[in-house]
Amino acid sequence: MQKKQNNIGLVWFRNDLRVQDNAVLQKAIADCESIIACYCFDPRHYEMTKYGFKKTERFRAQFIIESVHELRKNLKELNVELFVFHEYPEVVLEKLTAIYSVKNIYLQNEWTSEEINVLDKVKNNLPAHIAYHEIYDQFLFHPEDIPMAISEIPQVFTVFRKKVEKYRAVRPSITVATTNAILEIENHTTIPDLSDLGLSNFEAIPDSAFPFKGGESQALERLNDYFFKTKKLGVYKKTRNGLIGKDFSSKFSPWLANGCISARTIYHQVKRFERDFFKNQSTYWLIFELIWRDYFKYVSLKHENAIFKIGGILHKDYEWKSDERLINSWINGETRSNFVNANMIELKKTGWMSNRGRQNVGSFLAKDLFVDWRIGAAYFEAMLIDYDVHSNYGNWMYVAGVGNDPRDRKFNVDLQAERYDANGKFQRMWLQETLF
């Protein structure tokens, strides 16, 4: 393909904060003589929501800040300048396209309502001649490759998994080239800190199960360590329900959520591990979890805004509460269950919670306290370092009985505590008192 002469392309980064295996960046470089890039700390993402929480709290915000710093550095090595603003994208893109005579904007395809609304605002502000190149780039199995229409995505995960595993292959990772033309431009934009975003600073907790920083290099370093240095991948299935320490699970989810690493990259590195060392249930199980991630993305593609509604994708009509006293007891770790309390305090102090913890505290809020599950989802959105809209709302619907769980199960938090924290070590760690 011949590059468009005298054309500057603009790559608008959102949840794809990487240069390796980035289809959006690769297409922009292939199409255009030279490109610029931008990232917006959208003020809407740091405001209060109708549920009384900030949309993005300090732990997740700090991870994003670190990731954007890394992205700017890595783009610079490709001769691409990253402009960063604490401003509305519709304002930023209008200015940048005018200053640099941009005719083509490249971006990752997003389909949830807030992202669509922002893109509509951008399009309304920009001249009609601007072309938008929206590319799906957050899946393991690309939407063009799966053996079913989006409208046919099954209600049960196992059916989806078996079909994609049997009939489709994961696309190879993409090599991103350096741009040929170096733009001599000044970039005086600065990356905000937490105080700029209206958030308070914090000291990292030494006991955090996620002691890592944001950014593409950190993601790749973690992958190399977990797979090839320690070979912890080989015991992933046995340890993934752990509660203490950094190595009981892969911890890839925050980097995946922000696009610092692609699902394809992880998949192909698992396959490399299997070729070079061994293949077992654990190596398969990590791919299994990547397919779950894909599945929730396809569920949201199929059901659209139903994933945000109280009846979920099943349109079930339960009697939900919004009792502030119950909500606060859950948030502050003051429920009858010390297991729930310990997990909630861990989240409050670190922005992290294990998968086992999330299932229990979610089920407890929805099925023991009967509180509107969307309040829990909104709190997780604010607090979790690895917040991903599709997985977050997919999992919350699942535990609340309005999603993709065919058995509509309820977690017995007392039995779960006995099984996964039999000696009470995790509970004591976060409650800081002798409970047993």
Side-chain angles (χ1 to χ4, degrees), residues 9 23 33 119 122 136 138 154 171 182 236 253 261 349 354:
E33 257 194 322
L119 181 56
V122 169
Y136 285 119
Q138 53 183 290
R171 292 184 178 187
I182 301 175
Y236 171 74
S253 57
I261 193 170
K349 290 187 174 182
S354 68

Side-chain angles (χ1 to χ4, degrees), residues 33-34 38 45 55 99-100 108 110 115 119 132 140 158 178 195 199-200 224-225 311 327 373 378 410 416 427:
E33 257 194 322
S34 51
C38 77
H45 294 171
K55 192 167 183 62
I99 292 169
Y100 295 101
Q108 180 171 268
E110 302 279 353
E115 287 74 14
L119 181 56
Y132 300 86
L140 183 62
T158 303
T178 304
S195 61
L199 300 168
S200 58
N224 187 55
D225 181 74
I327 297 164
W373 63 272
K410 173 185 173 181
Q416 290 275 302
Q427 293 164 76

Side-chain angles (χ1 to χ4, degrees), residues 292-294 296-297 386 388-396:
W292 256 114
R293 177 178 176 272
D294 254 26
F296 281 137
K297 291 185 183 298
D386 64 352
D388 170 281
V389 58
H390 318 107
S391 293
N392 187 57
Y393 281 87
N395 276 307
W396 270 100

Side-chain angles (χ1 to χ4, degrees), residues 12 137 152 220 241 346 362 425:
W12 176 16
D137 199 31
E152 298 170 343
L220 295 170
N241 285 311
E346 179 185 28
K425 184 178 179 181

Side-chain angles (χ1 to χ4, degrees), residues 92-107:
V92 167
L93 291 173
E94 183 181 28
K95 291 177 182 175
L96 287 176
T97 52
I99 292 169
Y100 295 101
S101 302
V102 169
K103 297 182 178 64
N104 291 274
I105 295 176
Y106 299 82
L107 64 158

Side-chain angles (χ1 to χ4, degrees), residues 131-367:
Y132 300 86
H133 306 268
E134 298 177 62
I135 300 167
Y136 285 119
D137 199 31
Q138 53 183 290
F139 291 89
L140 183 62
F141 293 95
H142 194 281
E144 292 175 4
D145 299 343
I146 63 170
M148 65 199 91
I150 299 302
S151 61
E152 298 170 343
I153 297 298
Q155 175 66 17
V156 177
F157 165 71
T158 303
V159 179
F160 173 83
R161 175 181 61 80
K162 288 181 176 179
K163 282 191 174 184
V164 294
E165 284 181 332
K166 184 175 181 179
Y167 296 110
R168 290 298 179 263
V170 174
R171 292 184 178 187
S173 296
I174 295 164
T175 301
V176 176
T178 304
T179 57
N180 292 325
I182 301 175
L183 286 174
E184 297 296 334
I185 54 177
E186 292 187 354
N187 180 3
H188 299 297
T189 63
T190 58
I191 299 172
D193 59 21
L194 288 176
S195 61
D196 294 326
L197 301 176
L199 300 168
S200 58
N201 289 309
F202 63 93
E203 291 289 331
I205 300 289
D207 291 333
S208 174
F210 190 87
F212 308 105
K213 294 186 180 298
E216 182 174 12
S217 296
Q218 287 71 26
L220 295 170
E221 184 180 323
R222 172 60 177 174
L223 185 151
N224 187 55
D225 181 74
Y226 190 75
F227 285 12
F228 302 109
K229 286 186 179 177
T230 66
K231 298 184 178 59
K232 292 289 173 69
L233 171 61
V235 293
Y236 171 74
K237 190 172 189 289
K238 296 177 183 176
T239 64
R240 74 189 194 285
N241 285 311
L243 301 168
I244 299 172
K246 67 182 178 69
D247 287 332
F248 63 77
S249 68
S250 71
K251 303 297 195 303
F252 292 148
S253 57
W255 293 296
L256 276 168
N258 292 285
C260 302
I261 193 170
S262 72
R264 287 186 303 265
T265 293
I266 296 172
Y267 173 88
H268 289 300
Q269 290 302 308
V270 171
K271 292 300 178 183
R272 177 188 154 202
F273 181 96
E274 290 178 339
R275 289 193 303 270
D276 292 353
F277 301 105
F278 56 85
K279 180 178 182 178
N280 64 9
Q281 278 193 324
S282 288
T283 59
Y284 168 72
W285 210 260
L286 198 136
I287 294 171
F288 177 92
E289 297 292 356
L290 290 175
I291 299 173
W292 256 114
R293 177 178 176 272
D294 254 26
Y295 180 61
F296 281 137
K297 291 185 183 298
Y298 282 111
V299 167
S300 72
L301 261 175
K302 176 181 179 179
H303 294 281
E304 300 178 334
N305 280 347
I307 69 170
F308 305 117
K309 294 181 178 176
I310 196 164
I313 62 174
L314 299 182
H315 311 290
K316 284 193 173 180
D317 186 18
Y318 292 125
E319 290 292 327
W320 297 104
K321 299 175 184 176
S322 55
D323 185 319
E324 197 168 316
R325 180 184 58 83
L326 292 176
I327 297 164
N328 287 334
S329 71
W330 181 75
I331 287 172
N332 295 319
E334 296 170 349
T335 73
R336 68 158 188 84
S337 166
N338 285 321
F339 190 55
V340 168
N341 297 343
N343 277 287
M344 293 304 296
I345 290 171
E346 179 185 28
L347 175 61
K348 191 174 185 178
K349 290 187 174 182
T350 70
W352 176 263
M353 189 192 297
S354 68
N355 180 60
R356 180 59 46 183
R358 296 178 204 202
Q359 292 175 314
N360 276 273
V361 303
S363 179
F364 188 83
L365 183 74
K367 292 183 173 175

